Amino acid sequence: MKALILVGGFGTRLRPLTFSKPKPLVEFANKHMILHQIEALAKVGVKDIILAVNYQPDVMVEAMHKVEEQFGVTIHFSIEPEPLGTAGPLALARAILEKDNEPFFVLNSDVICEFPFEGLLAFHRSHGCEGTLMTTRVQDPSKFGVILTKPGSTQIARFVEKPTEWVGDQINAGIYIFSTKILNRIENRPMSIEKDVFPFMARDGELHTIPLQGFWADVGQPKDFLIGTGLYLNSLAAQESPLLAKGTHIVGNVLIHETAVIGEGCRIGPDVTIGPGAKVGNGVRMSKCVLMKNTVVKDYAWVHRSIIGWYSTVGRWARLDNTTVLGEDVHVSDEVFVNGGSVLPHKTLKDSILEPQIVM
């Protein structure tokens, strides 16, 4: 079987982290974001995985060599000469997708969930039409395109973009499976699968939907990255995963890499991930935050709703809050307060940031 992951462009929504590496290689729960998807695809028998990229392809190619060996898959890079949207990459990769008549998966690289590909495949084969998309329920559908099905059916009737009044709460989860017939609808040019392809498939009665069970998160920007981390850790807890940390200093769901060092008298959690080589001093308080590889949080610091980038340091008695994001190799001095700061790589903060701002 085959799959195509829409990796896309510059990852601007997740800056400053994506100044240092492509978004799919940013660690989510101590694993490259894209590895969550590749691992799940490999489990369902996918052997050929296409990465549709137009940013830093050399970095991606180097990183994926080990992944091929680890999961027994072949990774193909479909490098877009210009951004081709969410449909154009399928046409560009047509030779691989059409090499047999088996259906293929397509997914957005920002999506994190439990990836129930086996159930999606079985459902798609059961109805025999061109495509199936997964939906997820949201509390405020006015921000999204809502999907409406025919009465008593899984067949999609129409799409309502950002409705001003209630019509439903099921939205596109960014996970699809298609037969190769869909490729006849797509040209090798910039195209949107949501606007240029799906409405016509629905018109022809060729598009079905299945609701996604469990959590779903688009982790493409810092606030959602932190929310998604909490949802992912909740999922691990529901599965009684041995990966979650335990101890009197742990509150709620916490993931700590085995090489991280935690000081005495700390209170960590809920919804915290701590990466490899991280060092946390004594008396530190952390909640709803992410520490990347080789970060240092010194004694009695307080970190809440923040992401600390690789090789960065938080000083003694410093305080981070309100979706603060430190890029790679950022150093916050002792007793400094950072309120919603987005700090570019290789900076030192000696003065407090009292209002959300970008530090260049």
Side-chain angles (χ1 to χ4, degrees), residues 288-304:
K288 299 183 183 299
C289 64
V290 173
L291 276 62
M292 298 293 187
K293 180 180 179 180
N294 290 338
T295 53
V296 175
V297 179
K298 296 184 179 180
D299 297 347
Y300 308 109
W302 191 92
V303 182
H304 178 65

Side-chain angles (χ1 to χ4, degrees), residues 21-293:
K21 58 177 66 179
K23 181 171 55 180
L25 299 184
V26 173
E27 294 85 359
F28 179 87
N30 291 341
K31 184 189 299 184
H32 294 320
M33 285 171 58
I34 203 166
L35 289 192
H36 292 272
Q37 300 175 336
I38 291 174
E39 183 176 8
L41 288 166
K43 284 182 179 179
V44 80
V46 171
K47 295 299 183 183
D48 289 283
I49 299 175
I50 303 161
L51 304 184
V53 299
N54 56 54
Y55 171 58
Q56 290 184 315
D58 292 341
V59 176
M60 290 290 294
V61 169
E62 184 177 350
M64 290 300 106
H65 286 321
K66 292 182 180 179
V67 174
E68 288 183 310
E69 297 178 4
Q70 181 179 357
F71 295 107
V73 298
T74 300
I75 295 177
H76 310 267
F77 286 84
S78 181
I79 301 174
E80 304 170 26
E82 61 175 331
L84 294 177
T86 51
L90 277 69
L92 189 62
R94 183 168 187 153
I96 299 172
L97 296 175
E98 277 191 331
K99 74 176 189 178
D100 58 41
N101 289 323
E102 287 292 305
F104 59 89
F105 296 99
V106 175
L107 53 157
N108 295 332
S109 65
D110 292 351
V111 169
I112 292 291
C113 63
E114 294 176 1
F115 299 115
F117 291 131
E118 188 172 347
L120 175 59
L121 175 61
F123 175 74
H124 177 75
R125 285 178 166 158
S126 72
H127 64 66
C129 292
E130 284 183 31
T132 305
L133 63 83
M134 302 203 86
T135 61
T136 188
R137 179 174 282 112
V138 293
Q139 291 184 342
D140 183 7
S142 66
K143 300 177 181 178
F144 304 91
V146 174
I147 297 169
L148 301 180
T149 57
K150 295 181 178 179
S153 171
T154 61
Q155 193 176 92
I156 294 176
R158 62 192 178 101
F159 299 84
V160 181
E161 187 65 26
K162 297 182 179 179
T164 56
E165 58 184 37
W166 174 265
V167 293
D169 60 0
Q170 294 286 341
I171 68 165
N172 183 348
I175 301 172
Y176 321 116
I177 187 169
F178 301 120
S179 76
T180 54
K181 291 180 181 178
I182 192 179
L183 298 173
N184 296 325
R185 300 178 182 269
I186 302 173
E187 301 173 17
N188 192 355
R189 62 176 177 84
M191 290 183 69
S192 164
I193 201 166
E194 297 86 358
K195 296 179 180 179
D196 300 328
V197 181
F198 285 167
F200 300 98
M201 292 177 70
R203 177 200 64 190
D204 298 340
E206 291 288 343
L207 190 58
H208 286 252
T209 180
I210 181 174
L212 173 69
Q213 304 300 317
F215 82 98
W216 175 88
D218 179 332
V219 296
Q221 53 189 353
K223 180 180 178 181
D224 295 329
F225 192 96
L226 292 170
I227 292 172
T229 296
L231 294 172
Y232 178 82
L233 295 178
N234 284 342
S235 176
L236 290 184
Q239 300 169 42
E240 299 182 344
S241 172
L243 297 175
L244 292 176
K246 294 180 173 60
T248 56
H249 61 302
I250 300 297
V251 179
N253 300 323
V254 174
L255 185 66
I256 302 176
H257 193 272
E258 60 184 7
T259 62
V261 177
I262 310 297
E264 298 180 357
C266 293
R267 188 175 180 85
I268 300 174
D271 301 338
V272 172
T273 67
I274 299 177
K279 294 181 174 61
V280 177
N282 298 327
V284 169
R285 300 292 186 264
M286 292 191 294
S287 61
K288 299 183 183 299
C289 64
V290 173
L291 276 62
M292 298 293 187
K293 180 180 179 180

